Amino acid sequence: MSQGRARRASAEPPVLLAAVLALSILGCRGCDAAAATAAESPDYGDALSKSLLYFEAQRSGRLPYNQRVKWRGHSGITDGLQQGVDLVGGYYDAGDHVKFGLPMAFTVTMLSWGAIEFGADIAAAGEWQHTLEAIKWGTDYFVKAHTEPFVYWAEVGDGDTDHYCWQRPEDMTTSRQAYRVDKDNPGSDLVGETAAALAAASIVFRSSSPHYSHLLLHHAQQLFEFADKYRGNYDSSIKQAHSFYTSVSGYRDELLWAAFWLHRATGQEEYLRYAVDKADSFGGVGWAMVEFSWDVKYAGLQVLAAKLLLDGDPQGEQHRVVLEQYRAKAEHYLCACLGRNNGSNVHRSPGGMLYVREWNNLQYASSASFLLTIYSHYLAGAGAGARLRCPVAPAVPPSELLALARSQADYILGHNPLRLSYMVGYGARFPVHVHHRAASIVSHKANSRFIGCMQGFDDWFGRGRPNPNVLVGAIVGGPNRRDDFRDNRKNYMQTEACTYNTAPMVAVFARLHHLSTTAATESSLVEGCRPGTALPLSAKCR
């Protein structure tokens, strides 16, 4: 990661910090403001640390000596053996044991993007090394899975047979069949997302590990060529993925997404020209979105395009006309989150949660919080006059975007009508019946006796007691549009956690932790005091 970029990442003026704190409650329209004010302020530093711990619980493969989640053991150590390839490693996406390539790659892209923009904040909180480890656990696997220029191993395991069993990953007896995409069976969406993840990660490792960064970029460029040259949806080639991670948006958004990331990683205009030339035909300047997710990347790539203009990038200036169209669509999404469009806004629950759909809604709240935080940062860096342009409010300041991002983070951490933290292990109250096989069964290290496929259902899934292992840092699917939540292991729509729920919040928590600590320092300064004045221990003269 560029040290210059890291320093700029923490350069918001004190006026903005104060405005963010003042607007944090206003960003949660419709919630009980008095109760929110009275509630204890979230500990964003603790949330950041716990969020990174979660990724260690999701690891597949041989666990390293410094593994902190001690109730997990080695698993999936023969993955790829049937096909003669080494596919050991990577992440389980949620509470089951299939390694789905598309959400795994998106998870790593989001971790990397957050590290690029807010690396200084992450480092200041003491979590930089853990962030690198979380990213590298994914990128090491992606490099393994890219065995030939036009071959990528997209999935290990079969969702249908996996869901038939309730076992610890250490006891798996389900199929570990591996599935690939190639020239005859393309998967441009999956391959394009993986190219984006590797390109973004190459930026993160550029300073600390130049050789590794170069390796990641090499694979990213090859994968982009593969995705573009042999086009098709991955779930048409791999039928086993269709029922679980259907690529509804198709592959065009991932190709644009990868092109923007490769331009940022290489500086080569050919990638920017690709995104400009295909802006209209691939929907980049046509789709006005109210969702950003593992499937739909348009809002994210539109924000990347807008950044080129806000930064005054020379190559961006050459393509200003098209990039302004991208920026308009990015701002449509952000204005939709703020409720500042003429229609086509993101719904809010009575408690202030951004609501997109019933199943695992917090993934959309967390990704929205991320883009709001990022764009606020871009606007703040573009100068005092930079504003978000919304139909209802043509000059929205960066502080208002950040206030809404903070309200979503606070909602997740317990500032909601149920006063329940939706991050497991954070706060006094959180879900204890998380839909997660490994967490819900006694640890293999505590009891190594084999637990069979159906035995897990009989002895562990249906029992009413809390999970024996706490899945610290996991953000569950969360409540419905009315802020109702039922903590039941069978209620997988609400109690299952996914890596792509937590990944965007790593950067958000790091940023908010920095803002909170900076604001606390500012508030401890006393105006007009003279040397020798008696002050509280935490206060200083301004």
Side-chain angles (χ1 to χ4, degrees), residues 11-23 373 376-381 387 397-403 511 515 519:
E12 259 82 333
V15 173
L16 177 58
L17 304 182
V20 169
L21 295 174
L23 282 167
T373 302
S376 171
H377 178 58
Y378 292 165
L379 287 173
R387 295 290 186 270
S399 58
E400 191 168 334
L401 280 74
L402 198 53
R511 192 76 194 127
L515 292 174

PDB file of all heavy atoms in Angstrom, residues 11-23 373 376-381 387 397-403 511 515 519:
ATOM      1  N   ALA A  11      -6.729  12.346   6.903  1.00  0.00           N
ATOM      2  CA  ALA A  11      -6.528  13.783   6.913  1.00  0.00           C
ATOM      3  C   ALA A  11      -7.821  14.598   6.904  1.00  0.00           C
ATOM      4  O   ALA A  11      -7.831  15.725   6.458  1.00  0.00           O
ATOM      5  CB  ALA A  11      -5.679  14.192   5.698  1.00  0.00           C
ATOM      6  N   GLU A  12      -8.968  14.039   7.362  1.00  0.00           N
ATOM      7  CA  GLU A  12     -10.182  14.833   7.437  1.00  0.00           C
ATOM      8  C   GLU A  12     -10.003  15.981   8.437  1.00  0.00           C
ATOM      9  O   GLU A  12      -9.425  15.792   9.504  1.00  0.00           O
ATOM     10  CB  GLU A  12     -11.364  13.958   7.889  1.00  0.00           C
ATOM     11  CG  GLU A  12     -12.280  13.523   6.764  1.00  0.00           C
ATOM     12  CD  GLU A  12     -11.730  12.317   6.029  1.00  0.00           C
ATOM     13  OE1 GLU A  12     -10.515  12.157   6.032  1.00  0.00           O
ATOM     14  OE2 GLU A  12     -12.523  11.554   5.458  1.00  0.00           O
ATOM     15  N   PRO A  13     -10.505  17.166   8.127  1.00  0.00           N
ATOM     16  CA  PRO A  13     -10.366  18.299   9.037  1.00  0.00           C
ATOM     17  C   PRO A  13     -11.219  18.123  10.287  1.00  0.00           C
ATOM     18  O   PRO A  13     -12.238  17.433  10.263  1.00  0.00           O
ATOM     19  CB  PRO A  13     -10.866  19.491   8.195  1.00  0.00           C
ATOM     20  CG  PRO A  13     -11.778  18.881   7.182  1.00  0.00           C
ATOM     21  CD  PRO A  13     -11.200  17.528   6.878  1.00  0.00           C
ATOM     22  N   PRO A  14     -10.819  18.744  11.416  1.00  0.00           N
ATOM     23  CA  PRO A  14     -11.577  18.627  12.656  1.00  0.00           C
ATOM     24  C   PRO A  14     -13.030  19.045  12.511  1.00  0.00           C
ATOM     25  O   PRO A  14     -13.898  18.501  13.185  1.00  0.00           O
ATOM     26  CB  PRO A  14     -10.818  19.552  13.614  1.00  0.00           C
ATOM     27  CG  PRO A  14      -9.422  19.594  13.076  1.00  0.00           C
ATOM     28  CD  PRO A  14      -9.561  19.494  11.591  1.00  0.00           C
ATOM     29  N   VAL A  15     -13.328  20.017  11.635  1.00  0.00           N
ATOM     30  CA  VAL A  15     -14.708  20.453  11.449  1.00  0.00           C
ATOM     31  C   VAL A  15     -15.569  19.295  10.972  1.00  0.00           C
ATOM     32  O   VAL A  15     -16.706  19.099  11.408  1.00  0.00           O
ATOM     33  CB  VAL A  15     -14.763  21.615  10.428  1.00  0.00           C
ATOM     34  CG1 VAL A  15     -16.213  21.953  10.098  1.00  0.00           C
ATOM     35  CG2 VAL A  15     -14.056  22.832  10.993  1.00  0.00           C
ATOM     36  N   LEU A  16     -15.009  18.484  10.049  1.00  0.00           N
ATOM     37  CA  LEU A  16     -15.747  17.337   9.549  1.00  0.00           C
ATOM     38  C   LEU A  16     -15.988  16.318  10.647  1.00  0.00           C
ATOM     39  O   LEU A  16     -17.062  15.736  10.750  1.00  0.00           O
ATOM     40  CB  LEU A  16     -14.983  16.681   8.394  1.00  0.00           C
ATOM     41  CG  LEU A  16     -15.609  15.404   7.808  1.00  0.00           C
ATOM     42  CD1 LEU A  16     -17.009  15.687   7.301  1.00  0.00           C
ATOM     43  CD2 LEU A  16     -14.734  14.856   6.703  1.00  0.00           C
ATOM     44  N   LEU A  17     -14.989  16.114  11.508  1.00  0.00           N
ATOM     45  CA  LEU A  17     -15.143  15.149  12.599  1.00  0.00           C
ATOM     46  C   LEU A  17     -16.306  15.536  13.496  1.00  0.00           C
ATOM     47  O   LEU A  17     -17.124  14.706  13.864  1.00  0.00           O
ATOM     48  CB  LEU A  17     -13.852  15.082  13.421  1.00  0.00           C
ATOM     49  CG  LEU A  17     -12.566  14.751  12.661  1.00  0.00           C
ATOM     50  CD1 LEU A  17     -11.414  14.686  13.647  1.00  0.00           C
ATOM     51  CD2 LEU A  17     -12.699  13.452  11.914  1.00  0.00           C
ATOM     52  N   ALA A  18     -16.377  16.814  13.843  1.00  0.00           N
ATOM     53  CA  ALA A  18     -17.451  17.282  14.710  1.00  0.00           C
ATOM     54  C   ALA A  18     -18.806  17.139  14.022  1.00  0.00           C
ATOM     55  O   ALA A  18     -19.803  16.766  14.637  1.00  0.00           O
ATOM     56  CB  ALA A  18     -17.207  18.741  15.094  1.00  0.00           C
ATOM     57  N   ALA A  19     -18.833  17.438  12.714  1.00  0.00           N
ATOM     58  CA  ALA A  19     -20.091  17.331  11.971  1.00  0.00           C
ATOM     59  C   ALA A  19     -20.581  15.897  11.904  1.00  0.00           C
ATOM     60  O   ALA A  19     -21.779  15.629  11.995  1.00  0.00           O
ATOM     61  CB  ALA A  19     -19.911  17.888  10.559  1.00  0.00           C
ATOM     62  N   VAL A  20     -19.654  14.977  11.734  1.00  0.00           N
ATOM     63  CA  VAL A  20     -20.025  13.564  11.676  1.00  0.00           C
ATOM     64  C   VAL A  20     -20.664  13.133  12.985  1.00  0.00           C
ATOM     65  O   VAL A  20     -21.699  12.462  13.010  1.00  0.00           O
ATOM     66  CB  VAL A  20     -18.793  12.686  11.384  1.00  0.00           C
ATOM     67  CG1 VAL A  20     -19.131  11.219  11.584  1.00  0.00           C
ATOM     68  CG2 VAL A  20     -18.318  12.913   9.964  1.00  0.00           C
ATOM     69  N   LEU A  21     -20.056  13.503  14.095  1.00  0.00           N
ATOM     70  CA  LEU A  21     -20.594  13.128  15.397  1.00  0.00           C
ATOM     71  C   LEU A  21     -21.974  13.739  15.617  1.00  0.00           C
ATOM     72  O   LEU A  21     -22.870  13.111  16.155  1.00  0.00           O
ATOM     73  CB  LEU A  21     -19.636  13.567  16.500  1.00  0.00           C
ATOM     74  CG  LEU A  21     -18.270  12.868  16.477  1.00  0.00           C
ATOM     75  CD1 LEU A  21     -17.353  13.496  17.515  1.00  0.00           C
ATOM     76  CD2 LEU A  21     -18.421  11.386  16.738  1.00  0.00           C
ATOM     77  N   ALA A  22     -22.143  14.987  15.170  1.00  0.00           N
ATOM     78  CA  ALA A  22     -23.427  15.659  15.347  1.00  0.00           C
ATOM     79  C   ALA A  22     -24.514  15.041  14.496  1.00  0.00           C
ATOM     80  O   ALA A  22     -25.677  14.991  14.882  1.00  0.00           O
ATOM     81  CB  ALA A  22     -23.286  17.151  15.003  1.00  0.00           C
ATOM     82  N   LEU A  23     -24.145  14.537  13.301  1.00  0.00           N
ATOM     83  CA  LEU A  23     -25.131  14.008  12.375  1.00  0.00           C
ATOM     84  C   LEU A  23     -25.393  12.523  12.548  1.00  0.00           C
ATOM     85  O   LEU A  23     -26.275  11.968  11.909  1.00  0.00           O
ATOM     86  CB  LEU A  23     -24.681  14.249  10.924  1.00  0.00           C
ATOM     87  CG  LEU A  23     -24.891  15.667  10.383  1.00  0.00           C
ATOM     88  CD1 LEU A  23     -24.120  15.833   9.094  1.00  0.00           C
ATOM     89  CD2 LEU A  23     -26.368  15.955  10.159  1.00  0.00           C
ATOM     90  N   THR A 373     -18.860   5.548   3.300  1.00  0.00           N
ATOM     91  CA  THR A 373     -17.617   5.944   3.968  1.00  0.00           C
ATOM     92  C   THR A 373     -16.537   6.292   2.944  1.00  0.00           C
ATOM     93  O   THR A 373     -15.843   7.309   3.067  1.00  0.00           O
ATOM     94  CB  THR A 373     -17.121   4.812   4.884  1.00  0.00           C
ATOM     95  OG1 THR A 373     -18.141   4.491   5.840  1.00  0.00           O
ATOM     96  CG2 THR A 373     -15.849   5.205   5.619  1.00  0.00           C
ATOM     97  N   SER A 376     -17.482   9.580   1.005  1.00  0.00           N
ATOM     98  CA  SER A 376     -17.278  10.722   1.894  1.00  0.00           C
ATOM     99  C   SER A 376     -15.801  11.090   1.951  1.00  0.00           C
ATOM    100  O   SER A 376     -15.424  12.269   1.909  1.00  0.00           O
ATOM    101  CB  SER A 376     -17.797  10.383   3.294  1.00  0.00           C
ATOM    102  OG  SER A 376     -17.435  11.370   4.230  1.00  0.00           O
ATOM    103  N   HIS A 377     -14.970  10.065   2.035  1.00  0.00           N
ATOM    104  CA  HIS A 377     -13.514  10.261   2.062  1.00  0.00           C
ATOM    105  C   HIS A 377     -13.017  10.880   0.752  1.00  0.00           C
ATOM    106  O   HIS A 377     -12.179  11.796   0.763  1.00  0.00           O
ATOM    107  CB  HIS A 377     -12.863   8.910   2.305  1.00  0.00           C
ATOM    108  CG  HIS A 377     -11.375   8.920   2.325  1.00  0.00           C
ATOM    109  ND1 HIS A 377     -10.635   9.693   3.186  1.00  0.00           N
ATOM    110  CD2 HIS A 377     -10.463   8.238   1.570  1.00  0.00           C
ATOM    111  CE1 HIS A 377      -9.338   9.494   2.984  1.00  0.00           C
ATOM    112  NE2 HIS A 377      -9.215   8.619   2.001  1.00  0.00           N
ATOM    113  N   TYR A 378     -13.524  10.399  -0.365  1.00  0.00           N
ATOM    114  CA  TYR A 378     -13.123  10.954  -1.668  1.00  0.00           C
ATOM    115  C   TYR A 378     -13.544  12.418  -1.790  1.00  0.00           C
ATOM    116  O   TYR A 378     -12.781  13.263  -2.276  1.00  0.00           O
ATOM    117  CB  TYR A 378     -13.755  10.152  -2.806  1.00  0.00           C
ATOM    118  CG  TYR A 378     -13.243   8.732  -2.965  1.00  0.00           C
ATOM    119  CD1 TYR A 378     -13.936   7.813  -3.748  1.00  0.00           C
ATOM    120  CD2 TYR A 378     -12.085   8.297  -2.330  1.00  0.00           C
ATOM    121  CE1 TYR A 378     -13.483   6.507  -3.908  1.00  0.00           C
ATOM    122  CE2 TYR A 378     -11.632   6.991  -2.476  1.00  0.00           C
ATOM    123  CZ  TYR A 378     -12.332   6.104  -3.266  1.00  0.00           C
ATOM    124  OH  TYR A 378     -11.882   4.815  -3.417  1.00  0.00           O
ATOM    125  N   LEU A 379     -14.760  12.721  -1.365  1.00  0.00           N
ATOM    126  CA  LEU A 379     -15.235  14.107  -1.434  1.00  0.00           C
ATOM    127  C   LEU A 379     -14.394  15.020  -0.539  1.00  0.00           C
ATOM    128  O   LEU A 379     -14.011  16.125  -0.942  1.00  0.00           O
ATOM    129  CB  LEU A 379     -16.701  14.194  -1.016  1.00  0.00           C
ATOM    130  CG  LEU A 379     -17.751  13.660  -1.996  1.00  0.00           C
ATOM    131  CD1 LEU A 379     -19.119  13.679  -1.349  1.00  0.00           C
ATOM    132  CD2 LEU A 379     -17.766  14.481  -3.285  1.00  0.00           C
ATOM    133  N   ALA A 380     -14.110  14.558   0.673  1.00  0.00           N
ATOM    134  CA  ALA A 380     -13.317  15.362   1.602  1.00  0.00           C
ATOM    135  C   ALA A 380     -11.928  15.634   1.044  1.00  0.00           C
ATOM    136  O   ALA A 380     -11.362  16.709   1.260  1.00  0.00           O
ATOM    137  CB  ALA A 380     -13.225  14.656   2.952  1.00  0.00           C
ATOM    138  N   GLY A 381     -11.372  14.675   0.313  1.00  0.00           N
ATOM    139  CA  GLY A 381     -10.046  14.853  -0.265  1.00  0.00           C
ATOM    140  C   GLY A 381     -10.028  15.696  -1.512  1.00  0.00           C
ATOM    141  O   GLY A 381      -8.956  16.122  -1.969  1.00  0.00           O
ATOM    142  N   ARG A 387     -19.127  18.230  -3.112  1.00  0.00           N
ATOM    143  CA  ARG A 387     -20.393  17.810  -2.525  1.00  0.00           C
ATOM    144  C   ARG A 387     -21.005  16.683  -3.347  1.00  0.00           C
ATOM    145  O   ARG A 387     -20.732  16.528  -4.528  1.00  0.00           O
ATOM    146  CB  ARG A 387     -21.382  18.991  -2.468  1.00  0.00           C
ATOM    147  CG  ARG A 387     -20.971  20.140  -1.556  1.00  0.00           C
ATOM    148  CD  ARG A 387     -21.062  19.726  -0.097  1.00  0.00           C
ATOM    149  NE  ARG A 387     -20.820  20.819   0.825  1.00  0.00           N
ATOM    150  CZ  ARG A 387     -19.624  21.144   1.306  1.00  0.00           C
ATOM    151  NH1 ARG A 387     -18.549  20.466   0.905  1.00  0.00           N
ATOM    152  NH2 ARG A 387     -19.489  22.139   2.158  1.00  0.00           N
ATOM    153  N   PRO A 397     -22.953  17.524   1.964  1.00  0.00           N
ATOM    154  CA  PRO A 397     -21.553  17.511   2.411  1.00  0.00           C
ATOM    155  C   PRO A 397     -21.076  16.101   2.742  1.00  0.00           C
ATOM    156  O   PRO A 397     -21.877  15.209   3.040  1.00  0.00           O
ATOM    157  CB  PRO A 397     -21.575  18.397   3.656  1.00  0.00           C
ATOM    158  CG  PRO A 397     -22.967  18.251   4.186  1.00  0.00           C
ATOM    159  CD  PRO A 397     -23.852  18.119   2.983  1.00  0.00           C
ATOM    160  N   PRO A 398     -19.773  15.879   2.718  1.00  0.00           N
ATOM    161  CA  PRO A 398     -19.229  14.557   3.047  1.00  0.00           C
ATOM    162  C   PRO A 398     -19.664  14.059   4.417  1.00  0.00           C
ATOM    163  O   PRO A 398     -19.858  12.862   4.610  1.00  0.00           O
ATOM    164  CB  PRO A 398     -17.711  14.779   2.998  1.00  0.00           C
ATOM    165  CG  PRO A 398     -17.512  15.967   2.136  1.00  0.00           C
ATOM    166  CD  PRO A 398     -18.711  16.835   2.333  1.00  0.00           C
ATOM    167  N   SER A 399     -19.819  14.971   5.367  1.00  0.00           N
ATOM    168  CA  SER A 399     -20.180  14.566   6.734  1.00  0.00           C
ATOM    169  C   SER A 399     -21.517  13.850   6.793  1.00  0.00           C
ATOM    170  O   SER A 399     -21.727  12.969   7.630  1.00  0.00           O
ATOM    171  CB  SER A 399     -20.206  15.788   7.653  1.00  0.00           C
ATOM    172  OG  SER A 399     -21.117  16.757   7.167  1.00  0.00           O
ATOM    173  N   GLU A 400     -22.434  14.206   5.890  1.00  0.00           N
ATOM    174  CA  GLU A 400     -23.750  13.568   5.932  1.00  0.00           C
ATOM    175  C   GLU A 400     -23.677  12.115   5.445  1.00  0.00           C
ATOM    176  O   GLU A 400     -24.368  11.240   5.965  1.00  0.00           O
ATOM    177  CB  GLU A 400     -24.749  14.366   5.095  1.00  0.00           C
ATOM    178  CG  GLU A 400     -26.181  13.903   5.318  1.00  0.00           C
ATOM    179  CD  GLU A 400     -27.209  14.857   4.743  1.00  0.00           C
ATOM    180  OE1 GLU A 400     -26.910  16.069   4.607  1.00  0.00           O
ATOM    181  OE2 GLU A 400     -28.326  14.396   4.437  1.00  0.00           O
ATOM    182  N   LEU A 401     -22.840  11.849   4.469  1.00  0.00           N
ATOM    183  CA  LEU A 401     -22.638  10.469   4.023  1.00  0.00           C
ATOM    184  C   LEU A 401     -22.030   9.630   5.143  1.00  0.00           C
ATOM    185  O   LEU A 401     -22.459   8.502   5.405  1.00  0.00           O
ATOM    186  CB  LEU A 401     -21.724  10.418   2.802  1.00  0.00           C
ATOM    187  CG  LEU A 401     -22.321  10.726   1.435  1.00  0.00           C
ATOM    188  CD1 LEU A 401     -22.586  12.217   1.269  1.00  0.00           C
ATOM    189  CD2 LEU A 401     -21.392  10.257   0.322  1.00  0.00           C
ATOM    190  N   LEU A 402     -21.043  10.210   5.797  1.00  0.00           N
ATOM    191  CA  LEU A 402     -20.365   9.478   6.862  1.00  0.00           C
ATOM    192  C   LEU A 402     -21.290   9.254   8.054  1.00  0.00           C
ATOM    193  O   LEU A 402     -21.204   8.228   8.739  1.00  0.00           O
ATOM    194  CB  LEU A 402     -19.111  10.242   7.286  1.00  0.00           C
ATOM    195  CG  LEU A 402     -18.058   9.456   8.070  1.00  0.00           C
ATOM    196  CD1 LEU A 402     -17.661   8.174   7.345  1.00  0.00           C
ATOM    197  CD2 LEU A 402     -16.833  10.318   8.292  1.00  0.00           C
ATOM    198  N   ALA A 403     -22.185  10.209   8.289  1.00  0.00           N
ATOM    199  CA  ALA A 403     -23.136  10.049   9.386  1.00  0.00           C
ATOM    200  C   ALA A 403     -24.072   8.868   9.132  1.00  0.00           C
ATOM    201  O   ALA A 403     -24.390   8.106  10.053  1.00  0.00           O
ATOM    202  CB  ALA A 403     -23.941  11.330   9.563  1.00  0.00           C
ATOM    203  N   ARG A 511     -12.246   3.304  10.153  1.00  0.00           N
ATOM    204  CA  ARG A 511     -12.423   4.748   9.939  1.00  0.00           C
ATOM    205  C   ARG A 511     -13.129   5.390  11.122  1.00  0.00           C
ATOM    206  O   ARG A 511     -12.730   6.463  11.607  1.00  0.00           O
ATOM    207  CB  ARG A 511     -13.234   4.980   8.664  1.00  0.00           C
ATOM    208  CG  ARG A 511     -13.194   6.433   8.226  1.00  0.00           C
ATOM    209  CD  ARG A 511     -11.857   6.727   7.600  1.00  0.00           C
ATOM    210  NE  ARG A 511     -11.627   8.159   7.468  1.00  0.00           N
ATOM    211  CZ  ARG A 511     -10.539   8.767   7.943  1.00  0.00           C
ATOM    212  NH1 ARG A 511      -9.627   8.079   8.587  1.00  0.00           N
ATOM    213  NH2 ARG A 511     -10.359  10.045   7.753  1.00  0.00           N
ATOM    214  N   LEU A 515     -11.960   8.341  13.677  1.00  0.00           N
ATOM    215  CA  LEU A 515     -12.733   9.567  13.877  1.00  0.00           C
ATOM    216  C   LEU A 515     -13.090   9.757  15.346  1.00  0.00           C
ATOM    217  O   LEU A 515     -13.025  10.864  15.879  1.00  0.00           O
ATOM    218  CB  LEU A 515     -13.998   9.534  13.034  1.00  0.00           C
ATOM    219  CG  LEU A 515     -13.808   9.604  11.519  1.00  0.00           C
ATOM    220  CD1 LEU A 515     -15.140   9.401  10.819  1.00  0.00           C
ATOM    221  CD2 LEU A 515     -13.184  10.934  11.108  1.00  0.00           C
ATOM    222  N   ALA A 519     -11.818  12.763  17.575  1.00  0.00           N
ATOM    223  CA  ALA A 519     -12.799  13.666  18.169  1.00  0.00           C
ATOM    224  C   ALA A 519     -12.632  13.725  19.683  1.00  0.00           C
ATOM    225  O   ALA A 519     -12.791  14.789  20.301  1.00  0.00           O
ATOM    226  CB  ALA A 519     -14.210  13.206  17.813  1.00  0.00           C
TER     227      ALA A 519
END
